[in-house]
Amino acid sequence: MDDDLQIDNDEELFRNPVYYEPASCYLDLDRPDLGVPQGQDLLKRLLSMRRRVPVEKRGLICPDCRDVRGRRVAMYLVQRDGVWFASHYKRPGEGPISHESDEHIARKERVAKDSEDHGFPAEIESQTADGHARLDVRINGAEGIVLGYEPQLSAVTARGMRAREGFRRRSGIQSVWDFADPGHAGIGTVPYVRTPNLPASVIRVQKNPIAIRDGNFVLEEGQCSPAGALTRCPHKPYDPENPTDAGYCGGWHRLLVPAHQSSAFTGKDGLTLTQFIVEAAAGERIPFQRDGHHGWLPARQWQQYLEANGPALDEKEHRSSVRQGDRRDKCTEDRPASEERAEPKQRRSSRTMVLESRPKETESVRVPVDASGQPIPLCRFGCGKPASMSGPEGLPEHYSCRPKEQV
């Protein structure tokens, strides 16, 4: 093997596409003939170049780096357990090669630029102090707040999301995970927002607002009735076959409800990603966890939440499913989830969390009393009203009720 190559470790290797420049064709490393005529001879020729021909002159390049980022990044072949992989080539001391999509990169650049414009220094691809995580965008906020903006556009299991969030939390980072897929396994598993799936060309135009569609919660409380403050009863499941059906129990509820499902939501002038990031960096939005579900609350409503529910309990530390080690050379975290560890996605029509519920308060029956404070008995003729006199038999009654009974 060449002496100047930095070989990816087993965890970082996955099947990269590879392009052979001299023949202007893609190579299929799953096939013995590489999917091209005389492919077996080509493979022998490429392997014979080791130690003799510099990597940059062997003709293997990354098509993704060429098409997406306009860079010519050389590749070389490496074998693991009898399987051939194409690995990006970098000299010792060079930064890692990014495998991120253009949309992923555009989101990082947009948030970093917006944060800088609002007075919060931002750095793309920043390492945590312990070296166990790399932040896509590190934002230095007010009062010592450090935000880590993490756009996550590829599929990752909930277990993987919890492990990655644990690295950041233990480093004192407030993570903002940004998902575009409404069914992503990370939604609710980590502090998150959800934004539309937009092309990179749209994201990079700063005047284009990026709407927050989920992850931003508000605190609501009130009577569960048509005239009350709540839109519908949280205990009555949503019926997709009858979406206009509004169920009410007549009781009282305190809820954490997504802002877009709240009674005050009008659909106009909603929260944007830029506004959210700036307010989170300023301490005006606080991450919360309730029954294992994560989200964000405005600071004022966070105080109301604490007053009603007490201080937040520390989340039980999960045993990390990712090996501890130096992750400085990691190329990317946007990789396909393992099929063996894949978890089923759970789509939920509502993410409302009930903090407190009380049944409908019934008015207490006021028993009339006489001048001495003794209860006045009801009329014996069943009119339901307190008696006004004692009849000839000494029983309570009304004078007006006796003729009716005698008829």
Side-chain angles (χ1 to χ4, degrees):
M1 184 61 67
D2 302 89
D3 296 333
D4 61 346
L5 298 182
Q6 289 188 351
I7 303 175
D8 294 338
N9 61 41
D10 291 334
E11 182 183 356
E12 292 168 341
L13 282 175
F14 65 104
R15 191 54 58 86
N16 291 306
V18 58
Y19 188 80
Y20 186 53
E21 283 185 311
S24 300
C25 64
Y26 290 85
L27 302 183
D28 186 352
L29 300 182
D30 285 327
R31 299 175 56 176
D33 62 356
L34 304 181
V36 298
Q38 292 81 43
Q40 292 181 342
D41 294 336
L42 174 59
L43 178 59
K44 294 179 181 179
R45 186 161 62 252
L46 291 172
L47 297 180
S48 67
M49 294 181 183
R50 294 178 174 182
R51 297 184 179 275
R52 298 190 304 107
V53 180
V55 176
E56 297 93 334
K57 297 181 179 181
R58 296 178 188 175
L60 298 179
I61 67 168
C62 174
D64 289 345
C65 293
R66 176 198 62 188
D67 299 338
V68 176
R69 285 168 286 280
R71 294 179 55 191
R72 185 187 183 279
V73 177
M75 305 187 80
Y76 63 95
L77 299 181
V78 59
Q79 192 178 50
R80 288 289 186 274
D81 298 326
V83 179
W84 287 106
F85 293 86
S87 180
H88 290 71
Y89 168 64
K90 59 181 184 293
R91 294 183 180 278
E94 289 184 351
I97 303 298
S98 174
H99 301 167
E100 298 166 346
S101 67
D102 201 26
E103 288 77 14
H104 185 106
I105 296 173
R107 288 174 184 264
K108 295 194 301 183
E109 294 173 347
R110 168 71 180 269
V111 167
K113 183 67 167 60
D114 288 343
S115 300
E116 294 276 0
D117 290 347
H118 287 82
F120 296 111
E123 180 183 358
I124 295 177
E125 298 298 330
S126 173
Q127 199 81 20
T128 56
D130 57 11
H132 291 157
R134 189 182 71 246
L135 308 181
D136 281 334
V137 182
R138 177 191 178 100
I139 303 168
N140 296 318
E143 305 296 332
I145 295 175
V146 180
L147 286 184
Y149 173 69
E150 308 288 342
Q152 184 61 52
L153 305 183
S154 61
V156 180
T157 64
R159 179 182 180 182
M161 293 300 306
R162 283 192 291 267
R164 291 164 62 181
E165 169 61 17
F167 287 131
R168 289 154 176 79
R169 185 178 61 253
R170 288 188 287 273
S171 297
I173 307 298
Q174 286 191 8
S175 301
V176 182
W177 294 90
D178 184 3
F179 303 107
D181 179 7
H184 197 286
I187 288 182
T189 305
V190 293
Y192 76 102
V193 294
R194 184 169 64 84
T195 56
N197 189 10
L198 300 172
S201 59
V202 174
I203 297 172
R204 287 193 168 97
V205 179
Q206 283 188 281
K207 67 179 181 180
N208 290 336
I210 303 175
I212 296 290
R213 292 183 171 176
D214 198 359
N216 177 47
F217 287 72
V218 294
L219 184 67
E220 284 197 340
E221 56 185 357
Q223 187 178 6
C224 186
S225 67
L230 302 182
T231 304
R232 65 181 299 111
C233 180
H235 297 299
K236 183 173 182 179
Y238 173 75
D239 183 5
E241 297 182 357
N242 190 11
T244 60
D245 176 41
Y248 301 98
C249 68
W252 182 93
H253 306 291
R254 179 184 289 119
L255 313 171
L256 286 176
V257 59
H260 67 278
Q261 295 178 354
S262 66
S263 57
F265 181 71
T266 62
K268 298 180 180 179
D269 301 326
L271 185 66
T272 65
L273 179 60
T274 299
Q275 180 183 354
F276 178 89
I277 293 294
V278 170
E279 292 180 358
E284 298 175 8
R285 293 192 180 272
I286 311 296
F288 74 88
Q289 179 189 0
R290 174 76 182 186
D291 297 331
H293 189 96
H294 294 258
W296 293 80
L297 275 171
R300 177 178 55 82
Q301 297 196 358
W302 168 251
Q303 293 300 323
Q304 297 176 4
Y305 172 82
L306 290 182
E307 292 171 2
N309 299 277
L313 298 177
D314 292 335
E315 181 183 6
K316 181 180 179 181
E317 293 291 340
H318 297 277
R319 186 173 182 178
S320 175
S321 61
V322 180
R323 64 176 176 81
Q324 298 288 339
D326 191 353
R327 297 165 59 92
R328 287 183 172 84
D329 293 332
K330 218 163 193 32
C331 291
T332 179
E333 294 177 336
D334 281 348
R335 294 184 180 165
S338 168
E339 294 181 358
E340 296 180 358
R341 293 185 178 181
E343 301 174 6
K345 297 179 180 180
Q346 296 182 354
R347 292 183 179 270
R348 289 171 285 180
S349 59
S350 174
R351 308 187 200 282
T352 298
M353 287 165 272
V354 182
L355 302 179
E356 182 182 357
S357 291
R358 294 200 304 265
K360 182 179 180 180
E361 298 179 357
T362 57
E363 295 184 2
S364 58
V365 179
R366 300 181 63 183
V367 180
V369 295
D370 57 19
S372 63
Q374 296 299 318
I376 301 176
L378 298 179
C379 175
R380 70 185 181 104
F381 294 119
C383 69
K385 298 179 180 180
S388 60
M389 57 177 288
S390 295
E393 300 86 356
L395 300 176
E397 63 178 47
H398 289 106
Y399 178 78
S400 59
C401 294
R402 174 175 284 275
K404 298 177 182 178
E405 291 296 324
Q406 292 176 345
V407 173

